[in-house]
Amino acid sequence: MRPVHRVAFIGNSLPRRCGIATFTTDLQRALAGRTPDIETSIIAITDAGLHYDYPPEVGFEVRQEEFADYAAAADFINAGGFDVVSLQHEFGIFGGEAGGYILTLLERLTVPVVTTLHTVLAEPSAAQRRVLEQILALSARVVVMADKGRELLIGSYGAAEAQIEVIPHGIPDVAFVEPDAAKARLGFAGKTVILTFGLLSPNKGIEVMIDAMPAVLAARPDAVYVVLGATHPTLVREQGEAYRESLVARAASLGIAEHVVFLNQFVDRPALLDHISMCDVYVTPYLNEAQMTSGTLAYSFGLGRAVVSTPYWHALELLAKGRGCLVPFGDAGAIGAEISALLSDEPRRQAMRRRAYATSRSMTWERVADRYAASFEEIREPQPRRQSVRLHLVTPADDRPRLPSLALGHLRVMTDDTGLYQHAIHAVPDRAHGYCVDDNARGLLLASALNLNQSARLPETMTATYASFVQYAFNRDTRRFRNFMSFDRRWLEEQGSEDSHGRTLWALGMAARDDVSTSRRSWAAELFAAALPVVEGFASPRTWAFTLLGLNGYCQVRPDDDFATQLRLRLASRLVELLRQVETPGWVWFEEGLSYDNARLCEALILTGRATGLTGYVEAGLRTLAWLMQQQTSPSGLFRPVGTAGFTDVRLPPKPFDQQPVEAAATIAACFAAWSLTGSALWQTGASRAFGWFLGRNDLGLPLIDAETGACRDGLHPDRVNENRGGESVVSYLLSLSDMQRFERAGTTQPHTLALSGASRDMHRFSHQQFRGRLVASDIPKPSGTLPAP
């Protein structure tokens, strides 16, 4: 086995007051004390709005709800020379839905992960299942503390048996002692002490034990029930001490207030061990079985206390064979009777204590640390990584998602007799923001795409409305399109942006070729020709790309338009020249940063190269698309569009959020263009993964679409879906679905690929390589030669 020298622990850490913090700190100290050759560091998760005076062992702090901290923590670990990561997992300690932010950290790691699961749910929510399945996929080894955990992981989550190891909860190694000395030190001399300890919260069943005390007192009038532990910090923030006060009132109403003692404190280990040592019976009256691990139970068991417990999963295993007593959930009578009987039978109680103590010797922190160290060393061996056999992540088996039917209900809702609304509040059109030519051009583009694909057409009235909006937007004095219009049909500007102009030309060019109406095809061609010349003076690369996409349609119906033909070559050459100036081995792109609609630049060059027969355009489009796909593929294989938070970054990896539908639509279309040219199944796979993003194969595991109405949510925030369903989003989704239907109709038949020569054949070969982790500029052949016309 390969020795482990540096271990990073991820979890809560003392002085944060919770069981995970205690466990993480105890395990870290035990491993660090095992040999001087091991260095350890804790990456501590800090709950929202709080600050802790962490000890030097904490090397990095992650604020629970700060998404960026998780990526930064991964970078800290990767740069720190660690051999292995030990993750302590509990859904509630990490940010995001079901603690999903931790996935961002895990998928960025370059070192193996051993995950200790403190909770395994038999009936998880969809989000909890998604998160846990991805943790299984990203972990080399998974540790549970009870056999029930192994059973659930294999049976309910499809985990591989060889991936799972059962290592018990650690305990301090202390002598077996009688309670009298500790009682005297703590002020309980002469009392029969029943103890519960841990953070106070309603799921612990303290009410049931208070209700059982009158029966216990009937048998042992000297008995006192000590509840040791501070109220859970989350409960304090939400309710103050209302819950504790209700328990005090409950004891008072039963007339036993002097026999129920609340010690409202979070004690350190020496004080905790002293309190456990003084008790005659330790009780854990939890209210349901779904408790995979209980540190309080483990500690009391390990100190040789007589334990009475409800039959939650950890207790069922630990207290079997006479090592403790089990009573039904919520049954105060049964708890009272069992404790009374145990306190009245000294030989039985002592025998139970000794059995528990003897069994627990394998659970001391020293022994547990040995087992973790062996597990860490084993996974560092050069052998295949263990993985779950049932992953949420995208795999070859599910690369091609089942396509929903085309539904236009929401698009109809978003369209009135003026045009397509820009925005919606949830699914309700937002009149406050009116309309824009951008979205109505997209609507016109969708009408052409559906007609070209021979799929369901837009209603004629909708197509005519979008065309009418575009017509009205054109200012013949300036030869520019206006963009924004208020709900009362007032233009809010004299001319729109360069990009909105280019996008409108794109829609017109495709309508000139593909619209169902002969008259509207002629209209579109004429308006395209009138609006085209100003583009020659535009500086936006995206405007050039949108115009090239429009020229791809227009030039097929007006091949004799010499100006359009020449401008097409000039715009494409400008993009290639930008690439030549900016491109470096690690940055294969046209600009110093990535922003929106990125893949449209690649698509424009691929289609222009195919139409003109010029190899250089095609190769530039293919290699930039391959590089872009690398940037848009998460380490776990999911499509991750360039996030809006990184639009201003210079030569940096994309930010993960916010993610928007327009990026997925652009990627799918570009992949279709690449596939149509090369025949490589890799591009089809890339498109399928991008479309899967709409269906829930994304960083949050949440769908963006409503298949019944065709609505699409506006994007993914770090912690949730944007529930608004605006015009851009619905059209982006419907365009994506239309492109995927083109793939589906093609089936397994490869498209007609062009005869490539020289470097182009090399580019075709390259396009079969994986997107991730393989692309450098030196791999890419330089432009040369021409392609035969299609």
Side-chain angles (χ1 to χ4, degrees), residues 444-468:
L444 186 60
L445 190 65
L446 176 64
S448 298
L450 296 180
N451 185 52
L452 174 66
N453 297 347
Q454 300 175 348
S455 55
R457 293 177 178 174
L458 285 189
E460 172 61 22
T461 55
M462 293 176 68
T463 305
T465 296
Y466 302 146
S468 177

Side-chain angles (χ1 to χ4, degrees), residues 72-95:
D75 295 340
F76 168 81
I77 294 170
N78 291 336
F82 291 99
D83 300 311
V84 67
V85 169
S86 174
L87 169 68
Q88 310 308 313
H89 181 264
E90 166 67 50
F91 290 108
I93 70 174
F94 302 111

Side-chain angles (χ1 to χ4, degrees), residues 401-409 446 449-450 453-456 600 661-662 664-669 672 687-688 690-695 705-712 728-746:
R402 183 175 180 179
L403 300 182
S405 299
L406 188 82
L408 301 175
L446 176 64
L450 296 180
N453 297 347
Q454 300 175 348
S455 55
R600 296 298 181 187
V662 68
T667 300
I668 292 165
F672 186 84
S688 294
F691 190 77
W693 179 85
F694 288 104
L695 306 180
I705 66 159
D706 180 341
E708 184 176 346
T709 66
C712 179
E728 177 183 294
S729 300
V730 63
V731 178
S732 294
Y733 162 63
L734 294 173
L735 284 170
S736 299
L737 179 56
S738 175
D739 283 333
M740 292 304 298
Q741 288 173 339
R742 298 169 74 184
F743 276 119
E744 193 172 69
R745 282 196 301 276

Side-chain angles (χ1 to χ4, degrees), residues 611-695:
T612 62
L614 294 174
T615 304
Y617 298 155
V618 169
E619 289 167 349
L622 288 175
R623 77 171 180 270
T624 52
L625 180 58
W627 181 83
L628 178 64
M629 292 300 290
Q630 176 189 7
Q631 307 308 306
Q632 295 187 135
T633 304
S634 76
S636 56
L638 295 168
F639 177 72
R640 177 186 287 165
V642 175
T644 60
F647 280 5
T648 59
D649 291 347
V650 176
R651 291 185 182 266
L652 292 175
K655 293 289 196 308
F657 294 98
D658 290 345
Q659 300 176 17
Q660 297 187 334
V662 68
E663 301 306 317
T667 300
I668 292 165
C671 284
F672 186 84
W675 175 78
S676 298
L677 179 68
T678 67
S680 168
L682 185 64
W683 302 115
Q684 194 167 11
T685 297
S688 294
R689 291 187 178 183
F691 190 77
W693 179 85
F694 288 104
L695 306 180

Side-chain angles (χ1 to χ4, degrees), residues 463-659:
T463 305
T465 296
Y466 302 146
S468 177
F469 191 98
V470 168
Q471 170 66 41
Y472 188 46
F474 188 58
N475 185 337
R476 292 196 176 274
D477 294 333
T478 62
R479 300 286 170 161
R480 293 286 297 272
F481 291 99
R482 303 175 181 91
N483 192 10
F484 297 110
M485 175 190 279
S486 65
F487 178 67
D488 60 0
R489 296 185 178 181
R490 288 183 298 105
W491 289 112
L492 302 178
E493 57 190 359
E494 285 303 310
Q495 66 182 34
S497 65
E498 292 184 1
D499 284 0
S500 66
H501 191 97
R503 186 176 287 106
T504 308
L505 283 172
W506 172 21
L508 288 168
M510 302 313 295
R513 188 191 69 184
D514 300 326
D515 197 282
V516 68
S517 165
T518 302
S519 175
R520 203 159 44 234
R521 290 198 298 271
S522 297
W523 161 82
E526 291 176 8
L527 186 53
F528 183 96
L532 180 64
V534 295
V535 174
E536 192 168 16
F538 286 175
S540 166
R542 275 163 189 74
T543 300
W544 304 342
F546 297 152
T547 304
L548 285 169
L549 292 171
L551 284 163
N552 188 55
Y554 175 81
C555 287
Q556 290 187 41
V557 298
R558 296 286 177 90
D560 55 345
D561 188 332
D562 291 337
F563 176 78
T565 301
Q566 292 303 312
L567 183 60
R568 185 187 215 179
L569 297 176
R570 287 196 293 274
L571 295 179
S573 295
R574 286 182 191 177
L575 286 175
V576 173
E577 177 60 18
L578 278 183
L579 179 63
R580 187 192 67 78
Q581 294 174 7
V582 175
E583 180 181 358
T584 61
W587 190 263
V588 189
W589 196 241
F590 308 90
E591 302 165 296
E592 296 288 344
L594 293 163
S595 58
Y596 76 100
D597 252 348
N598 295 290
R600 296 298 181 187
L601 280 69
C602 314
E603 179 191 8
L605 284 178
I606 293 168
L607 292 178
T608 301
R610 179 168 186 169
T612 62
L614 294 174
T615 304
Y617 298 155
V618 169
E619 289 167 349
L622 288 175
R623 77 171 180 270
T624 52
L625 180 58
W627 181 83
L628 178 64
M629 292 300 290
Q630 176 189 7
Q631 307 308 306
Q632 295 187 135
T633 304
S634 76
S636 56
L638 295 168
F639 177 72
R640 177 186 287 165
V642 175
T644 60
F647 280 5
T648 59
D649 291 347
V650 176
R651 291 185 182 266
L652 292 175
K655 293 289 196 308
F657 294 98
D658 290 345
Q659 300 176 17

